[in-house]
Amino acid sequence: MISQVEREILSISAMASVARLDLDGNPIDPMTICMIGAGGFIGSHLCEKLMAETPHTVLAVDVYCDKIKHLLDPEEGQEASRGRIQFHRLNIKHDSRLEGLIKMSDLVSSLAPWNRSDSGSLLAFAFFNVILSLYFVIIASHPNVVVEQILFSLQTINLAAICTPADYNTRPLDTIYSNFIDALPVVRYCSENSKRLIHFSTCEVYGKTIGSFLPKDHPLRKEPEFFVLKEDASPCIFGSIEKQRWSYACAKQLIERLIYAEGAENGLEFTIVRPFNWIGPRMDFIPGIDGPSEGVPRVLACFSNNLLRREPLKLVDGGQSQRTFVYIKDAIEAVLLMIENPARANGHIFNVGNPNNEATVKQLAEIMTQVYAKVSGEPPLEVPTIDVSSREFYGEGYDDSDKRIPDMTIINKQLGWNPKTSLWDLLDSTLTYQHKTYAEAIRRSLAKPAASS
């Protein structure tokens, strides 16, 4: 009878025996990854990817671990992750060990995380209900060593931002501090200690398209060069200073420019990632269930909350803005390629999105209504949507981008990455998760007032 320990050793040995190669055919050495913020949306999916497909070890650092519990205590048949992921509870926002961790790393990556007050946030500020920082540190020491003792680390990834439109408009100072000021030490430590940096920015740095300044019926608005967003060519165009909504995009653009300048003047090795609406299970929160009742998550969670409560979906200014959506598992493929192919990723800015999944917000609401009816078995609402003004929904000072359609030339050329999942399929996966996770809790919460009256 084979013992549990022997089974784990055989599992790890089998994985290691299949040599992983980078895109140039070079062997990828197994690494230990200290992932600070591993309990969040992106971190949890990256942990799953690393456990399932690589021999790498993860030191998972966060305040909460709810979203990675299945990896920390794997069931029978999941032995591949046993012993290769360990959780360390640490809040890095006020922890002086950050500089030490970066000094011990070769790669630091800063990625805009997801607004949360849930168990997946690294820095769930009691008053702000939002993730402010999320860090990954990839190291090459023994996984049993506590964070303070990590030595000779190979890679670090930092995710830090406030990233919901509701916050940009009502908390512009916090937004600017979180996305620029709080990121400065990370960039400086990387530059001073010759560490590689992967910074996750946002597609919002592009601001408004050139075409948006043309008359609505102008034929050039339909030409790709007037709306497709290119990393190395498209200008960054924002609204007036009075429109506080652009505080996020401006802060993100400025930290990008700082990183680029550090590369040009001081030789900082960097990669900048611009996510275009990464969607999937475990993102954001449902107000009143695993987040504040007054909280305003992003569009997918807002619409999911409406569907779960059988309320009309609210379309801000008619839902005419156009967006693209990419499945989280597709996006994580791109992140792993960046981590394991530094020679191809260094010095580049990458759009990570799916231009094939383009839809207006109104169309997104319509598709989500159809998909949720299929998933839940419930009939669609007779009045599925209602229009609300941006002023009513977000407050004074809101503004928006007309389109966010990414050009994928650079990431396809450098990393050979293309997204695979259709909009319908990613919504089917996400809403199946939402219904399974939240439907019963929503029913109980809706029943409480009636029971108490």
Side-chain angles (χ1 to χ4, degrees), residues 175-210:
T175 299
I176 292 168
Y177 271 81
S178 170
N179 290 284
F180 180 65
I181 303 298
D182 292 348
L184 289 175
V186 176
V187 179
R188 178 162 53 86
Y189 297 156
C190 290
S191 184
E192 290 175 352
N193 295 281
S194 300
K195 306 301 180 182
R196 181 182 173 218
L197 169 65
I198 295 181
H199 176 78
F200 281 76
S201 183
T202 172
C203 59
E204 293 215 15
V205 299
Y206 291 109
K208 300 184 178 187
T209 65
I210 299 174

Side-chain angles (χ1 to χ4, degrees), residues 316-334:
V316 176
D317 294 336
Q320 295 306 305
S321 297
Q322 290 179 276
R323 299 291 184 264
T324 60
F325 303 89
V326 65
Y327 192 39
I328 181 63
K329 293 188 184 298
D330 290 347
I332 289 300
E333 290 274 2

Side-chain angles (χ1 to χ4, degrees), residues 31 33-38 42-43 46 50 61 92 98 101-102 105-112 122 133-139 153-160 186 190 196-200 271 273 335-336 338-340:
M31 61 185 80
I33 303 172
C34 177
M35 189 183 299
I36 310 174
I42 297 174
L46 184 53
L50 293 165
V61 178
I92 55 85
L98 174 60
L101 289 172
I102 291 178
S105 71
D106 289 327
L107 168 76
V108 179
S109 176
S110 168
L111 182 152
L122 171 63
S133 291
L134 179 56
Y135 295 89
F136 300 138
V137 183
I138 301 180
I139 67 152
S153 58
L154 293 178
Q155 302 199 45
T156 310
I157 305 179
N158 156 42
L159 300 87
V186 176
C190 290
R196 181 182 173 218
L197 169 65
I198 295 181
H199 176 78
F200 281 76
T271 301
V273 185
V335 175
L336 187 59
M338 293 174 206
I339 291 171
E340 295 188 329

